[in-house]
Amino acid sequence: VPVFLFVAAPYIRRYVAGGRCKSTARLEGKVVIITGANTGIGKETARDLAQRGKVIIACRDTAKGEAAASEIQAETGNQQVIVKKLDLADTKSIREFAEKFLAEEKELHILINNAGVMLCPYSKTADGFEMHLGVNHLGHFLLTFLLLERLKQCAPARIVNVSSLAHHGGRIRFHDLQGEKSYNRGLAYCHSKLANVLFTRELARRLQGKFQRRAEFTANALHPGSVYSELVRHSFVLTWLWKIFSFFLKTPREGAQTSIYCAVAEELDSVTGQYFSDCQPAYISPRGRNDETAKKLWSVSCELLGIQWE
């Protein structure tokens, strides 16, 4: 068995690594925002895109963000890797981030909603939203709303939402959206990832109606794969299992490939409302294809955030 594993190891790793973004597209003169790019796949996405254009690292922990930015600047030679404070668990912080960004930056071409929380014990955001729903869905929903006009002005533009295969286990429980009646942290994560898929679907539908040419504006979602990262830090068991089976998990750089692909691949210029994994289209659960649920989630999200987004 050890000999077999030694011989098979390179093939296993190649299979685990999955798809790779082969696009050499440049982003000169373009600006990218990546949420949660101070660590994990967000950081690796920023590392790649910094070789192509200007990158804004939007994160809660600015000390980690500055360390990541310095590392990427040194590696790529691109000094246009900038850190801005953004706490997706606080709508005040989201609004402040957007206000400062719009005042300081005149361009925005790609928004990658990457940040997320996973398997949190029951807790609420500053605005009283259940943490998974509040950060993974509502935080990015509000951020996208606040930046949408700037993206429109700079079209062609792309919005990339990092979801997960876990969306297959989710459902939108409108009767208990905040998990106050019953709560399971694993399911709460799944629900929020389904919300990402439905948000992408409805956003793409609405944008398509606003632009005659689909290539002007696209919104797509993706599954990065099972990645060895800090995302499982709230679960002792998963942290332990992740360490034991790390050989069978993607590295953050491998996990970032589909995010990069959705952000820059030329063949996706006119593709919108889709879901990708390993740099290719992937199957969406029936619940993730329910247009009525997507429309209702949009409406409820606007109500919760106190915004009007027609």
Side-chain angles (χ1 to χ4, degrees):
V1 173
V3 174
F4 168 76
L5 286 176
F6 179 78
V7 173
Y11 301 98
I12 294 171
R13 274 304 312 156
R14 200 173 305 155
Y15 175 78
V16 169
R20 186 170 63 85
C21 178
K22 297 175 182 176
S23 172
T24 57
R26 303 294 302 166
L27 298 174
E28 277 97 353
K30 296 193 173 183
V31 178
V32 183
I33 290 177
I34 310 171
T35 66
N38 57 329
T39 187
I41 66 172
K43 180 180 174 182
E44 294 306 323
T45 304
R47 192 191 306 275
D48 180 283
L49 297 185
Q51 297 175 48
R52 307 170 190 256
K54 183 173 181 176
V55 174
I56 309 290
I57 292 176
C59 60
R60 180 174 54 85
D61 189 334
T62 52
K64 269 191 177 181
E66 292 292 354
S70 296
E71 181 185 318
I72 293 168
Q73 287 168 352
E75 185 178 316
T76 63
N78 180 6
Q79 297 307 301
Q80 293 292 290
V81 181
I82 299 163
V83 178
K84 292 183 186 288
K85 171 85 171 178
L86 172 66
D87 183 354
L88 287 160
D90 185 347
T91 58
K92 183 182 176 185
S93 172
I94 298 168
R95 290 181 179 278
E96 286 176 353
F97 168 86
E99 189 178 333
K100 287 180 182 177
F101 174 83
L102 294 172
E104 295 168 4
E105 303 284 345
K106 301 306 174 192
E107 304 283 329
L108 178 59
H109 303 87
I110 301 169
L111 171 61
I112 303 179
N113 290 319
N114 162 84
V117 294
M118 181 180 182
L119 302 176
C120 301
Y122 190 80
S123 55
K124 292 188 174 183
T125 68
D127 301 273
F129 306 135
E130 185 276 316
M131 191 62 71
H132 293 91
L133 179 79
V135 172
N136 297 354
H137 170 59
L138 292 172
H140 283 127
F141 188 94
L142 178 60
L143 179 66
T144 305
F145 167 75
L146 295 171
L147 298 177
L148 195 68
E149 285 305 315
R150 182 57 49 84
L151 283 159
K152 286 180 181 178
Q153 292 164 11
C154 300
R158 298 187 187 191
I159 296 169
V160 179
N161 294 324
V162 179
S163 180
S164 169
L165 184 69
H167 86 269
H168 286 272
R171 63 174 63 208
I172 305 302
R173 303 164 69 246
F174 290 109
H175 66 285
D176 188 24
L177 210 53
Q178 307 298 342
E180 292 171 325
K181 295 177 182 175
S182 65
Y183 181 75
N184 175 291
R185 56 186 181 170
L187 287 176
Y189 176 72
C190 295
H191 301 334
S192 71
K193 293 290 102 180
L194 174 60
N196 293 153
V197 172
L198 291 168
F199 169 45
T200 305
R201 189 175 184 86
E202 180 63 8
L203 177 61
R205 186 188 70 79
R206 288 167 176 257
L207 292 175
Q208 226 172 313
K210 296 276 174 66
F211 289 92
Q212 289 184 341
R213 289 183 302 144
R214 292 178 65 198
E216 282 291 286
F217 213 137
T218 64
N220 290 298
L222 67 100
H223 167 55
S226 297
V227 181
Y228 187 64
S229 72
E230 296 178 12
L231 197 58
V232 297
R233 63 186 177 277
H234 292 292
S235 169
F236 172 78
V237 174
L238 268 186
T239 300
W240 182 69
L241 288 172
W242 248 230
K243 287 180 179 176
I244 292 174
F245 296 105
S246 60
F247 183 78
F248 299 98
L249 297 170
K250 288 186 178 185
T251 65
R253 185 165 293 191
E254 290 162 352
Q257 293 304 304
T258 308
S259 294
I260 298 163
Y261 175 74
C262 288
V264 303
E266 298 89 340
E267 61 266 33
L268 299 187
D269 278 347
S270 60
V271 175
T272 191
Q274 301 302 307
Y275 171 74
F276 294 86
S277 178
D278 283 326
C279 301
Q280 59 187 5
Y283 180 74
I284 303 173
S285 75
R287 290 194 186 102
R289 287 180 269 122
N290 189 313
D291 289 330
E292 289 310 307
T293 304
K295 289 172 187 174
K296 186 174 179 181
L297 178 64
W298 184 284
S299 176
V300 170
S301 299
C302 286
E303 285 176 28
L304 289 170
L305 293 164
I307 60 175
Q308 287 188 314
W309 190 354
E310 299 304 330

